[in-house]
Amino acid sequence: MILVSKEALALKVNKKHGEKAIALTRKLGVDNKKLRILKEEQFIFVPIRRSLREEELKRIEQQLEDFELSYNSFLEKKNQPQTLDQLLEKKLPAELIKILPRSIDIVGDIAIIEVPRELAPQKKIVGEGILKIHRNIRTVLAKAGVVNGTFRLRKIEIIAGEHRTETIHAEHGCKYHVDVAKTYFSPRLSYEHKRVATLVQKGEIIVDLFAGVGPFSVLIARKNKEVKVYALDINQIAFEYLKDNVRLNRVETLVFPKLGDARKVVGEDLSGIANRVIMNLPEKAIEFVDVACRALKPEGGIIHFYSFLRSPDSMANLKQRFTESVEESGRELSRFLSTKNVRATAPYQWQVVLDAKIS
Ligand SMILES: C[S@@+](CC[C@H](N)C(=O)[O-])C[C@H]1O[C@@H](n2cnc3c(N)ncnc32)[C@H](O)[C@@H]1O
């Protein structure tokens, strides 16, 4: 291994607090794994990757009696593996290296991967490898089934790291407390959450029919101060996280979580009030088009309708089905404002969205 010297910011502590300082920088995800820790007389210098944020400094102050931040010269481990392939090339045969997971979903400090069947006996090695390469990750989960059921959950298995499925995920400046085993959350919808939030106009009333832990509702409220968002979900656990996230992001006066079946809640409480309705339940949204139409104001509004599209079905067919459902509920479709593919969800299957103006 070739060693060269590099300047970096470091946490300087008395040697007797060394272990604590190292653990703390790891926990905060600021430890610099490319550099070696430096020991000098009674001090050790733990290199960090970046300057510390105020809340991180506070945590360090709470846990270490005495510390300093200083710049020092550290030895660099030049040949440290940068990718999972490099890290595992001596541990796994070439044919397994080829099928290592290429895409990792990161939710907070949890990584979620799909392990191909042939790699299943080695999944722990893969999980440990991901922990080594991605220093901010504390837990690695393997998907153990497809998303299904009313609550849109999938079975998962903890394959490495801390035994937990709960975390805090940051998205577009918001924080979401989420349990990836008990509530639906996908970081792959991040762009969609932002796209819809930026379409909202001042003073709008929005009904988020299938809100989950709140990534549409909370972001809309954070971006648009004079809105009212009703956020519905049928999953009691998702509803608890939703309430928590409303508090966490300080939008209690703008977002109103409601527990229950969207059909029932709208029927009892939210008829004829909305400028905009979000229908992110792709598997079943078509069955709720009448509910969305009922939530809209008498003069109409906008529906963001999500669906899955499986080849050979087409966008044109989907638009036709949506239009018929709108008409069956006694409303009229003015026009489609936009139609697009959100993401591929399986071979020959996509999640798509129709933005529709209803009169
Ligand atoms: C695909 S998730 C979407 C969550 C969220 N909108 C997001 O982007 O992460 C759909 C959510 O709808 C909820 N759900 C399913 N059926 C429902 C119903 N009839 N009424 C209200 N919520 C429902 C599920 O519990 C789940 O949290």
Side-chain angles (χ1 to χ4, degrees):
M1 194 176 291
I2 306 159
L3 296 172
V4 292
S5 195
K6 203 175 173 191
E7 278 285 298
L9 189 60
L11 201 62
K12 176 184 172 188
V13 293
N14 192 298
K15 266 183 186 162
K16 64 180 183 214
H17 300 306
E19 288 300 322
K20 216 171 179 183
I22 294 165
L24 200 50
T25 56
R26 276 194 195 142
K27 204 159 195 176
L28 292 171
V30 295
D31 54 329
N32 192 331
K33 280 288 147 196
K34 292 182 188 156
L35 300 178
R36 291 192 159 189
I37 288 167
L38 176 70
K39 292 178 185 156
E40 249 177 30
E41 295 170 1
Q42 79 266 40
F43 294 109
I44 85 159
F45 299 78
V46 186
I48 55 178
R49 292 187 293 117
R50 54 166 172 80
S51 49
L52 297 167
R53 301 189 189 106
E54 210 178 303
E55 67 271 18
E56 292 167 338
L57 269 173
K58 267 194 200 137
R59 272 186 71 181
I60 296 175
E61 274 163 13
Q62 281 162 4
Q63 297 192 32
L64 292 174
E65 277 170 29
D66 208 5
F67 74 94
E68 260 176 52
L69 286 171
S70 68
Y71 272 94
N72 292 77
S73 208
F74 294 92
L75 292 177
E76 190 178 9
K77 298 177 199 165
K78 254 293 182 211
N79 294 343
Q80 207 173 38
Q82 303 290 319
T83 66
L84 197 55
D85 296 34
Q86 287 169 2
L87 183 75
L88 300 183
E89 70 189 354
K90 293 208 175 77
K91 290 193 180 161
L92 296 177
E95 65 272 19
L96 292 186
I97 292 289
K98 271 193 220 140
I99 57 166
L100 282 173
R102 301 286 154 207
S103 86
I104 302 180
D105 281 352
I106 308 272
V107 181
D109 59 2
I110 295 178
I112 308 169
I113 56 167
E114 191 143 5
V115 180
R117 206 160 20 93
E118 304 87 312
L119 201 56
Q122 281 83 13
K123 65 189 168 203
K124 289 208 184 322
I125 297 178
V126 176
E128 294 296 341
I130 290 173
L131 288 178
K132 283 211 177 88
I133 295 287
H134 300 274
R135 304 304 310 184
N136 295 338
I137 298 301
R138 295 284 165 263
T139 301
V140 183
L141 308 178
K143 294 177 185 175
V146 294
V147 172
N148 66 12
T150 304
F151 299 165
R152 311 309 296 152
L153 306 178
R154 78 157 89 235
K155 284 212 175 81
I156 44 152
E157 186 191 351
I158 300 173
I159 57 169
E162 296 171 16
H163 275 242
R164 63 178 160 87
T165 51
E166 209 181 15
T167 188
I168 302 246
H169 181 73
E171 190 178 90
H172 309 307
C174 300
K175 283 185 187 149
Y176 299 102
H177 195 189
V178 51
D179 186 325
V180 294
K182 296 180 184 151
T183 64
Y184 177 93
F185 186 84
S186 172
R188 298 185 190 197
L189 292 174
S190 161
Y191 176 80
E192 215 27 50
H193 298 146
K194 184 160 180 202
R195 185 185 74 84
V196 171
T198 51
L199 293 171
V200 171
Q201 306 282 312
K202 189 173 168 186
E204 276 191 15
I205 297 176
I206 294 117
V207 175
D208 185 359
L209 280 182
F210 312 108
V213 301
F216 280 107
S217 297
V218 168
L219 183 61
I220 288 172
R222 290 286 295 190
K223 276 190 157 294
N224 307 278
K225 288 297 171 208
E226 288 171 44
V227 293
K228 239 185 197 181
V229 191
Y230 294 96
L232 284 49
D233 207 283
I234 200 168
N235 175 358
Q236 169 88 49
I237 298 175
F239 173 71
E240 296 303 331
Y241 281 99
L242 171 64
K243 286 195 292 184
D244 203 22
N245 293 331
V246 167
R247 277 192 298 270
L248 197 61
N249 293 281
R250 297 196 198 92
V251 287
E252 297 96 322
T253 57
L254 306 176
V255 180
F256 307 96
K258 289 187 178 285
L259 173 65
D261 176 11
R263 179 172 296 283
K264 193 158 175 274
V265 176
V266 169
E268 286 171 359
D269 237 6
L270 304 173
S271 292
I273 59 145
N275 302 95
R276 190 180 293 273
V277 178
I278 303 165
M279 305 185 71
N280 184 20
L281 181 61
E283 195 68 36
K284 288 224 166 121
I286 196 75
E287 295 169 23
F288 288 84
V289 172
D290 62 318
V291 177
C293 287
R294 186 169 319 147
L296 286 177
K297 289 189 169 176
E299 66 269 30
I302 290 164
I303 295 180
H304 301 283
F305 171 83
Y306 292 86
S307 180
F308 291 127
L309 202 56
R310 293 171 187 97
S311 179
D313 198 1
S314 68
M315 195 66 109
N317 287 342
L318 181 66
K319 281 161 110 174
Q320 181 63 31
R321 289 198 294 275
F322 177 80
T323 309
E324 283 166 10
S325 299
V326 170
E327 284 165 3
E328 275 164 24
S329 65
R331 295 270 195 167
E332 232 176 75
L333 176 96
S334 289
R335 64 197 166 96
F336 286 107
L337 301 170
S338 103
T339 58
K340 72 178 193 85
N341 279 356
V342 174
R343 59 181 178 137
T345 47
Y348 307 107
Q349 178 181 295
W350 294 267
Q351 179 173 355
V352 300
V353 58
L354 310 180
D355 290 355
K357 190 159 171 42
I358 309 295
S359 56

